[in-house]
Amino acid sequence: MSDEQTPTPVEELDDELASEAAEPEGIDEEALERRSEALAQVVKFGDPVLRSAASPVSEFDDDLATEAERMIGLMRDAIGVGLAATQLGTLRRMLVFQVGSEAEPTVLVNPEIEWRSEDDLATAEEGCLSLPGVIVDVERPLHIRARAVDVHGEPLSIEASGLEARVIQHEVDHLDGVLMLDRTEREQRRGALSALREGGTFAPESPEDEEDLDENGEASTEE
């Protein structure tokens, strides 16, 4: 660890979380239909539940396990990498995530992040199933340690880095009523909010986009 903040370039991180905001390419009609049906069950920006803190789970029964399986199914059908209970309108402190198609889905009940790498940070694009069409840059600690319990109440401890750490932090934020818009820079937040109000899309300019602007700020073209 260094004594100074050392942001990691966006391109060094997997962009799988950012892809949640985009319409997926290369999938069949059946998968698109499942995604549409799953997204219809996800609470969208503007619903006050997304700004509410979830309550700790106190009952570990079959209903909890069933709800966890439902969340995993919806996350997969929506082609997401994480989902918090608040995104389904339930103020219950539970989240699921699956980073990579080969990974096993993980359920965290009553998760708390007990350590973050304060001097080792990374900035990357994030998307959210509850904020369709919006991508923003978010700086987060690159490494975390979290504690939680599983659906049976058994304690869990997770040390995560990179994309996995980012996804866990994103979903824990949901459980605290915090959105990725709260963690991006002011101009991107303004652009994202405008897109959400108008039903449009927003994504930060890439370095390639900036190179295409001439000295007057106009888009340049090359034959």
Side-chain angles (χ1 to χ4, degrees):
M1 300 286 183
S2 66
D3 292 333
E4 298 179 353
Q5 293 182 347
T6 55
T8 301
V10 171
E11 59 269 19
E12 291 185 15
L13 288 177
D14 194 313
D15 63 354
E16 195 167 353
L17 182 56
S19 70
E20 288 193 347
E23 193 68 25
E25 299 178 356
I27 64 173
D28 58 34
E29 287 296 325
E30 185 179 344
L32 281 173
E33 185 175 346
R34 288 199 305 270
R35 184 174 193 262
S36 178
E37 292 174 354
L39 289 175
Q41 299 182 56
V42 175
V43 173
K44 303 302 190 298
F45 180 78
D47 192 309
V49 73
L50 292 176
R51 288 300 190 181
S52 304
S55 301
V57 173
S58 58
E59 295 186 14
F60 298 85
D61 52 18
D62 290 344
D63 288 343
L64 184 69
T66 299
E67 180 63 12
E69 287 301 316
R70 172 175 173 259
M71 289 175 63
I72 291 171
L74 288 172
M75 173 185 66
R76 286 172 163 171
D77 287 347
I79 315 180
V81 293
L83 187 67
T86 49
Q87 291 180 274
L88 299 179
T90 303
L91 290 176
R92 176 156 44 186
R93 201 165 182 83
M94 179 167 66
L95 65 85
V96 300
F97 69 93
Q98 181 179 11
V99 177
S101 59
E102 301 301 318
E104 287 293 320
T106 300
V107 181
L108 299 182
V109 182
N110 297 338
E112 299 291 343
I113 298 175
E114 56 184 8
W115 174 81
R116 295 175 170 86
S117 57
E118 296 181 0
D119 296 326
D120 201 358
L121 308 176
T123 297
E125 293 181 342
E126 291 188 14
C128 181
L129 298 177
S130 292
L131 284 74
V134 167
I135 295 172
V136 294
D137 289 328
V138 179
E139 182 183 72
R140 295 189 188 273
L142 190 58
H143 313 284
I144 65 164
R145 182 173 62 250
R147 57 183 172 84
V149 296
D150 64 16
V151 292
H152 306 294
E154 296 298 321
L156 296 172
S157 180
I158 293 181
E159 293 187 2
S161 297
L163 178 61
E164 186 174 61
R166 179 172 293 274
V167 171
I168 293 171
Q169 291 174 87
H170 181 107
E171 303 306 334
V172 169
D173 272 353
H174 272 304
L175 299 180
D176 294 332
V178 176
L179 300 178
M180 64 184 191
L181 298 180
D182 304 319
R183 298 198 182 278
T184 193
E185 61 184 39
R186 185 175 182 179
E187 288 303 314
Q188 289 194 27
R189 179 166 58 252
R190 184 179 299 169
L193 287 171
S194 177
L196 288 165
R197 284 194 297 267
E198 298 170 4
T201 62
F202 175 84
E205 287 188 346
S206 66
E208 290 79 8
D209 294 334
E210 294 174 357
E211 290 173 1
D212 288 341
L213 297 180
D214 63 21
E215 62 182 3
N216 296 318
E218 300 292 337
S220 60
T221 59
E222 294 182 358
E223 297 295 327

